[in-house]
Amino acid sequence: MRVTFLNCNVDDVTLAESVVKIEEIIKKKQPSQHITIDPSKINAMQKDLSLRLIVNKSPLINTASPVILYASKVLKRPLHQIVSTKLLFIELLKKCEEHGYRPYFFGSKDTALEGAVNYIKKMHPTIDIAGCSIGYLKREDPLEVVKEIQKSQADILFVAFPSPQKEYWIDEYINQLKVPFVMGVGVDFDVLADEIKTTQLTKISKKIRRFQPKNLFENTLLFVYTLKARVKSQS
């Protein structure tokens, strides 16, 4: 079920339901961008109409943020599910190996990308990787990597850029890429590789990151937007 609040659509689906939806998208072969909503993105959408349009037209919009779940309940548009981007990434790698979907990895630094891809090959020895490329901003011709990805005939493209850079880049080139399913996975593939090997230490570090000043600011700003919307709905 799709829920709408604070000018944003979010799908209230589980991890397993998300994977089923993604496989349907891949089979249709209609290039689509997956979106994960967090407080900073939903805050930006309040003023950035272009980002709002990009997000809301996505066929699958997840959130991994308990803060957004809380905001949805305050606004009487309750969400019940959170879907971790990293867990979704891991599940899709499994599906790639099981069903022969060909993933392409784009972004990050060359050493981090190489390390992550090597680890993925180790964890999924029969996976057929369509290709990988470091961040496009270092290239003289920004369309060079678009052509490379297009020629690879990948089924899934994982893009490791920060937001909203990745959403804008994917939206601009998605029809030229001709990849059925394109998913942003954050800023660094080595972080994702670390998450695959989750230990108690990484669980602790994740808790610490939640209290960083930027996260505190974004969570507070989301709370302000939520209160304003709640007051407006009651007036």
Side-chain angles (χ1 to χ4, degrees):
M1 183 179 71
R2 178 156 286 194
V3 178
T4 302
F5 60 96
L6 294 176
N7 300 311
C8 180
N9 297 331
V10 186
D11 292 305
D12 195 20
V13 291
T14 65
L15 175 63
E17 290 168 339
S18 297
V19 172
V20 170
K21 177 66 176 178
I22 291 167
E23 291 199 88
E24 291 174 355
I25 291 171
I26 293 172
K27 290 173 183 176
K28 288 180 180 177
K29 296 188 179 299
Q30 180 65 41
S32 302
Q33 174 175 189
H34 170 265
I35 299 287
T36 298
I37 291 296
D38 60 14
S40 63
K41 195 173 297 177
I42 206 169
N43 289 338
M45 288 171 64
Q46 303 315 301
K47 296 181 179 180
D48 189 336
L49 181 58
S50 296
L51 180 61
R52 190 188 305 176
L53 292 172
I54 290 171
V55 169
N56 286 334
K57 70 182 179 182
S58 171
L60 180 60
I61 307 170
N62 294 124
T63 183
S65 171
V67 177
I68 291 179
L69 258 64
Y70 176 75
S72 73
K73 291 176 173 60
V74 170
L75 294 174
K76 308 298 183 181
R77 300 285 191 276
L79 291 167
H80 306 90
Q81 310 293 339
I82 58 175
V83 177
S84 164
T85 302
K86 297 175 181 65
L87 290 180
L88 184 57
F89 175 76
I90 293 167
E91 288 301 311
L92 290 178
L93 290 177
K94 293 178 183 177
K95 292 297 180 182
C96 285
E97 187 172 33
E98 290 173 8
H99 301 301
Y101 303 136
R102 303 179 69 243
Y104 194 107
F105 304 96
F106 175 45
S108 190
K109 299 176 182 177
D110 48 359
T111 53
L113 181 58
E114 181 182 358
V117 170
N118 286 338
Y119 189 80
I120 289 166
K121 288 179 179 178
K122 179 180 178 181
M123 295 295 293
H124 304 279
T126 63
I127 196 169
D128 183 10
I129 295 178
C132 57
S133 299
I134 60 172
Y136 80 104
L137 291 177
K138 294 182 179 180
R139 296 167 181 256
E140 293 181 4
D141 180 7
L143 288 177
E144 181 184 357
V145 71
V146 175
K147 295 173 185 176
E148 288 179 13
I149 295 170
Q150 182 189 86
K151 290 178 181 178
S152 75
Q153 297 184 318
D155 298 297
I156 300 177
L157 171 61
F158 295 108
V159 180
F161 292 160
S163 291
Q165 181 186 7
K166 65 175 176 284
E167 286 81 13
Y168 281 123
W169 185 88
I170 294 169
D171 185 68
E172 181 176 358
Y173 295 111
I174 191 164
N175 291 324
Q176 294 169 259
L177 292 166
K178 296 184 178 179
V179 178
F181 183 75
V182 186
M183 175 180 171
V185 291
V187 297
D188 219 340
F189 280 119
D190 61 350
V191 174
L192 293 169
D194 286 342
E195 287 294 333
I196 294 173
K197 308 178 287 185
T198 300
T199 63
Q200 189 62 35
L201 181 61
T202 59
K203 290 179 182 177
I204 293 171
S205 68
K206 285 170 68 178
K207 290 180 181 179
I208 293 173
R209 289 200 298 273
R210 289 189 190 128
F211 295 98
Q212 288 182 349
K214 184 179 184 299
N215 292 340
L216 181 60
F217 171 79
E218 295 292 353
N219 290 345
T220 302
L221 183 57
L222 179 65
F223 182 67
V224 170
Y225 282 128
T226 302
L227 286 182
K228 287 182 177 179
R230 178 66 185 272
V231 171
K232 184 177 180 180
S233 67
Q234 292 179 332
S235 62

